[in-house]
Amino acid sequence: MSVFNKSRSYIIRIIFLSVFIIIIAQLANLQLVSNKYLELAKNNAVFQKILYPERGIIFDRNGKAVLNNTIMFDLMVTPAEVKNFDTLAFCNLLQIDTAEFRTRIVNAIIKNSRVRPSIFHSLLTPEMQARFEENSWRFPGFVLQQRPVRTYPYNVGAHILGYISEVDAKDIERSASFYRMGDYVGKNGLEYTYEKVLMGQRGVQYMIKDNKNRLVGHYENGEFDTTAVAGRGLKTHLDVDLQVLAEKLLNNKVGSVVALDPKTGGILAMASGPVFNPNDLTGPDKNANYAKMVLNVRAPLLNRGIKGRYPPGSTFKPLGGLVALDEGVITPSYGYACPGRYYGCGAGKPACTHSGGGHAANLRLAIANSCNSYFVQVYRMAVDNPRMGNMRKGYEGWETYMHKFGLGVRLGVDLPSEDKGNIPTVAVYDKEYRGSWNSCTNLTLGIGQDKMLATPLQLANAMSIIANKGYYYIPHFVDSIDGETAADAPILAKYREKHAVLTHISDTAYNAIINGMNDVVTRGTARVAMIPGIDVCAKTGTAENYTILDRRRIKLKDNSMFVCFAPKDNPKIAVAVAVENAGYGATWAGPIARILMEKYLLDSLTNKSKADLERISNTNLMPSYYDRLQYITDSTRAEQWAKIRKDSTQLRRYLKGSPKAAPKKDSAQAQGAPKPAQKPQQKKPAALITFITEDRKYRRPVTVFEEFI
């Protein structure tokens, strides 16, 4: 028995000794090796306050700040610290409901976990910020985070400057986790392209929290703090005064204006209509404003300067003439007897606005009078050139010329999402016409139509090539970077490289085209572009325009197109203007271009241009079919929402009346009483819906759904 007791006592001692050793080992681990609980303690007592750097400022060519920074505050939440919380008081303070509160907390947990700070409410208004600061002690887990926010002193440049917004999961993934939740990043425009230059470097402050969750000082006297480094600024070629003027001229219009310096490729102005204030995409209302613009069928967010695809129309004719001269199929003295229509392909199309009187007796006159027949014939001669071997090879050679002019390719401007327009290939025509086509099939390419599409930037660049007699620099905004280093060289190198694409063409050929474009202004179709004391070279264009509405192909008013450069002998500015559904090129686009050239070259406006500025800026040329298109789009969305969500709230605004409910059966009818005789219903005539387009009214039967619209 005693032996047994001794054995049991020995075992118990071993157990106690083992437990003691484990405790000592764990204490040693916690004190000497692991810092897990130290970090947890710090997390409870120390708040990691991110210092967001000021983004770099963007300046125009004269050193004026086109955008700047101001300070606002985000409300940050750490969900794990939200305890003993008066939810109702908090929601009243922020003017949200409790359901929205719960949704935001859940989103914060999903996006950034319970223990990391996330943005609960971005960019508080000053009033909301003041209310929270007074009551912050009541709401553990919530703190204010200082945030530099963009401001736009001139209220212009929204399409080219872009905007910044909080990073999403894809941004973080693409950056290999360099960005964190709460960081802001450039989402479009120059903000996106030059993000690495503008962003700066974030800093961190470690702040001590008291028992009421208030920040009371720096941890370890700021020993572990790091400072934020501001982003670097950009100096651009942009002339902000010219940009203000361009956007004013495009008020209540759809289209674009692009102005370049031919000698450098620097973009002096790029405006897109409909215009909007860039301040609408910053501050507390940015999300609501962005949503409205996304749903607007007029596409105010679309930068038509680089994404607007337009048939160049007659603005293409100087390019076509230059190709024919270089191919040797015509000389400057080549004339074409045009009776007013082109009969070379038998159909008598296209027609010419001018006819008779030797208006196409030579290249110079043909450009001045914008003779369609002349340039259709010139196109066919270039494509059918016997020297090329056959028509297909001739067309491929012509297509190569177009690419050298910058059409049908992306130029490489320092903005994202540039469109390449369209120059159709041999394969496209082979597919459409099953290999059976010739130069008559697409003869209107000679006057900038058929399948040809170009952006205003491409057209302005093509004018720069003519003005420079064969070379260009890739169009770009940024001239230099503050504190530019060798590491920055690759960013701007391509914009400083001269592209001598067509310098092999003789000066004689270029002078024929340039003199013809000068005649357009002095005695041709663009007298509206004359500037006293300056020789202007220009070309008008009027391109046919169609849209699909209510399943019908509808002809709209022509697009008003205009290209130009000046002065003739020492070009300093090249301009391309497109105004959708506005009519003749000389009516609207021409005066817009003249006003911009006059302002840039003379730094003032004549009385005539001042009057035109007020007239044009106050004229609403917004195509009327957009109203119908917006109605169709919104009502369709409402119908889809009603089907998906079983919620007809949005749909009701489009209903003229609700369907009548079936009458309830009374007790007599329910027991089989005879029904009163009903009068035969007369068949109602089909309702007609009427909508107005640019050139006529259309009527058609109302569809089933539209009975309730």
Side-chain angles (χ1 to χ4, degrees):
M1 189 69 177
S2 60
V3 175
F4 175 78
N5 287 337
K6 286 182 180 179
S7 175
R8 185 171 60 181
S9 175
Y10 179 72
I11 292 170
I12 292 172
R13 287 174 185 173
I14 291 174
I15 292 172
F16 273 102
L17 180 61
S18 300
V19 171
F20 182 73
I21 291 171
I22 292 171
I23 292 173
I24 294 298
Q26 181 65 6
L27 287 173
N29 176 57
L30 294 175
Q31 294 291 332
L32 303 176
V33 181
S34 174
N35 61 354
K36 175 182 176 182
Y37 289 96
L38 176 63
E39 292 301 319
L40 290 174
K42 284 184 180 179
N43 287 338
N44 286 329
V46 178
F47 175 72
Q48 193 179 93
K49 184 178 182 181
I50 303 297
L51 300 178
Y52 292 105
E54 288 199 358
R55 290 178 69 87
I57 298 171
I58 299 179
F59 301 92
D60 84 336
R61 63 191 297 108
N62 298 311
K64 299 176 182 177
V66 184
L67 60 74
N68 216 321
N69 295 308
T70 189
I71 298 298
M72 295 187 74
F73 289 85
D74 290 337
L75 182 60
M76 310 294 292
V77 61
T78 306
E81 298 178 4
V82 180
K83 303 172 183 176
N84 303 320
F85 200 82
D86 188 344
T87 305
L88 185 59
F90 181 84
C91 291
N92 288 336
L93 187 146
L94 288 187
Q95 299 175 352
I96 61 174
D97 56 34
T98 54
E100 178 66 17
F101 173 84
R102 286 191 293 271
T103 299
R104 294 188 188 185
I105 293 292
V106 170
N107 288 340
I109 294 171
I110 293 172
K111 290 166 62 177
N112 210 22
S113 82
R114 289 180 176 273
V115 296
R116 294 179 181 173
S118 301
I119 295 178
F120 182 85
H121 192 107
S122 63
L123 306 178
L124 300 179
T125 62
E127 295 79 10
M128 196 175 291
Q129 174 198 335
R131 287 201 304 269
F132 179 81
E133 286 180 335
E134 292 176 1
N135 296 275
S136 60
W137 61 272
R138 301 171 59 191
F139 309 121
F142 288 88
V143 294
L144 291 175
Q145 173 70 64
Q146 186 172 292
R147 169 84 65 184
V149 175
R150 292 304 209 184
T151 59
Y152 304 86
Y154 293 91
N155 300 331
V156 296
H159 294 98
I160 56 182
L161 298 173
Y163 63 96
I164 59 174
S165 189
E166 186 185 359
V167 296
D168 55 30
K170 290 183 178 179
D171 293 322
I172 294 173
E173 182 181 349
R174 282 193 295 264
S175 70
S177 297
F178 172 81
Y179 291 109
R180 306 174 188 171
M181 293 304 300
D183 287 350
Y184 272 32
V185 67
K187 291 287 189 178
N188 202 358
L190 297 178
E191 295 273 23
Y192 175 87
T193 303
Y194 294 95
E195 168 66 16
K196 291 183 179 179
V197 176
L198 295 167
M199 63 180 287
Q201 182 177 331
R202 74 172 81 86
V204 180
Q205 285 183 347
Y206 295 93
M207 308 295 292
I208 299 173
K209 295 185 288 187
D210 66 9
N211 61 344
K212 290 188 176 181
N213 200 44
R214 295 174 297 194
L215 303 180
V216 294
H218 290 269
Y219 175 72
E220 295 291 340
N221 295 319
E223 181 180 350
F224 301 102
D225 294 354
T226 58
T227 58
V229 179
R232 291 182 291 161
L234 302 173
K235 183 181 178 182
T236 68
H237 294 277
L238 190 70
D239 186 316
V240 72
D241 294 328
L242 204 65
Q243 182 71 24
V244 169
L245 202 58
E247 294 198 12
K248 183 175 182 180
L249 288 163
L250 283 182
N251 183 47
N252 285 320
K253 298 168 188 67
V254 178
S256 179
V257 171
V258 176
L260 298 176
D261 179 349
K263 300 300 182 186
T264 65
I267 300 175
L268 305 172
M270 179 184 287
S272 179
V275 297
F276 68 94
N277 190 329
N279 288 296
D280 290 343
L281 293 184
T282 189
D285 297 325
K286 68 174 183 179
N287 290 336
N289 292 334
Y290 181 83
K292 289 178 183 177
M293 286 189 273
V294 167
L295 297 177
N296 189 337
V297 297
R298 294 163 182 80
L301 292 173
L302 181 69
N303 183 355
R304 289 174 167 85
I306 60 171
K307 293 192 73 66
R309 292 157 54 93
Y310 301 103
S314 294
T315 62
F316 171 77
K317 290 173 181 176
L319 279 65
L322 195 58
V323 171
L325 288 171
D326 190 47
E327 285 288 283
V329 296
I330 67 169
T331 64
S333 62
Y334 173 78
Y336 188 76
C338 174
R341 287 184 171 274
Y342 182 70
Y343 293 97
C345 291
K349 291 183 179 181
C352 297
T353 303
H354 303 278
S355 61
H359 74 289
N362 55 52
L363 176 60
R364 189 167 174 172
L365 282 170
I367 293 175
N369 294 307
S370 196
C371 177
N372 286 341
S373 297
Y374 185 97
F375 287 98
V376 164
Q377 174 66 14
V378 161
Y379 162 75
R380 293 190 62 219
M381 292 169 71
V383 171
D384 294 336
N385 187 354
R387 187 170 59 85
M388 299 302 293
N390 59 57
M391 182 271 299
R392 276 179 168 74
K393 289 183 179 179
Y395 183 85
E396 288 173 347
W398 180 87
E399 184 185 351
T400 299
Y401 274 106
M402 297 302 102
H403 293 165
K404 288 182 178 180
F405 275 116
L407 304 184
V409 295
R410 292 182 179 87
L411 295 172
V413 64
D414 50 352
L415 291 177
S417 305
E418 179 191 5
D419 198 286
K420 65 179 182 179
N422 186 56
I423 296 296
T425 64
V426 168
V428 168
Y429 287 115
D430 280 344
K431 182 178 180 180
E432 183 169 348
Y433 296 101
R434 299 180 180 180
S436 179
W437 60 281
N438 55 38
S439 61
C440 283
T441 306
N442 53 21
L443 80 168
T444 55
L445 285 174
I447 55 174
Q449 297 193 145
D450 193 68
K451 298 180 185 297
M452 183 187 296
L453 297 171
T455 67
L457 179 67
Q458 289 174 327
L459 295 177
N461 184 68
M463 291 302 104
S464 294
I465 293 174
I466 293 177
N468 294 333
K469 296 185 177 179
Y471 74 87
Y472 76 99
Y473 290 88
I474 294 175
H476 60 285
F477 284 95
V478 174
D479 178 40
S480 60
I481 299 171
D482 284 353
E484 193 170 326
T485 65
D488 298 320
I491 300 175
L492 299 177
K494 67 178 182 178
Y495 303 119
R496 296 167 178 172
E497 178 185 353
K498 184 176 181 179
H499 297 268
V501 287
L502 293 168
T503 51
H504 67 276
I505 300 177
S506 68
D507 282 359
T508 301
Y510 276 113
N511 288 335
I513 298 298
I514 291 171
N515 289 332
M517 293 181 69
N518 183 232
D519 289 348
V520 171
V521 178
T522 57
R523 55 176 179 166
T525 60
R527 295 187 180 111
V528 70
M530 292 180 66
I531 301 174
I534 295 176
D535 280 334
V536 177
C537 300
K539 187 69 193 77
T540 56
T542 306
E544 290 188 347
N545 192 24
Y546 296 84
T547 192
I548 302 297
L549 190 65
D550 290 296
R551 298 181 295 278
R552 297 174 66 104
R553 185 173 185 262
I554 298 168
K555 188 180 187 306
L556 306 172
K557 283 185 179 179
D558 295 337
N559 290 338
S560 179
M561 310 290 291
F562 197 86
V563 293
C564 59
F565 60 86
K568 172 187 171 184
D569 296 324
N570 183 27
K572 296 179 180 177
I573 184 172
V575 181
V577 182
V579 185
E580 295 183 24
N581 311 138
Y584 292 115
T587 305
W588 296 105
I592 289 173
R594 185 197 73 236
I595 291 169
L596 294 176
M597 287 190 296
E598 197 172 290
K599 173 64 178 175
Y600 183 73
L601 297 173
L602 304 178
D603 197 29
S604 62
L605 294 178
T606 62
N607 290 333
K608 177 183 178 182
S609 290
K610 289 178 181 177
D612 280 346
L613 172 62
E614 292 306 309
R615 174 181 63 85
I616 294 170
S617 62
N618 291 322
T619 300
N620 188 341
L621 296 177
M622 193 67 67
S624 61
Y625 78 90
Y626 275 124
D627 293 333
R628 173 64 183 165
L629 182 59
Q630 187 72 62
Y631 185 87
I632 293 171
T633 304
D634 289 345
S635 59
T636 301
R637 284 196 198 103
E639 184 186 22
Q640 292 171 344
W641 179 266
K643 289 178 180 178
I644 294 170
R645 297 286 185 173
K646 308 301 182 185
D647 177 6
S648 61
T649 305
Q650 297 182 42
L651 184 59
R652 287 174 187 165
R653 74 180 68 177
Y654 301 101
L655 303 181
K656 288 183 178 178
S658 300
K660 295 182 179 179
K664 294 182 179 180
K665 294 181 179 180
D666 60 19
S667 57
Q669 290 174 336
Q671 294 172 4
K675 296 180 181 179
Q678 295 182 350
K679 295 181 180 179
Q681 293 184 349
Q682 294 182 350
K683 188 174 181 180
K684 295 167 67 176
L688 293 177
I689 190 165
T690 304
F691 61 95
I692 301 173
T693 66
E694 299 300 322
D695 58 339
R696 60 183 294 186
K697 290 184 179 180
Y698 286 95
R699 288 185 173 86
R700 62 164 177 77
V702 176
T703 62
V704 174
F705 170 66
E706 288 169 337
E707 287 285 353
F708 301 104
I709 295 180

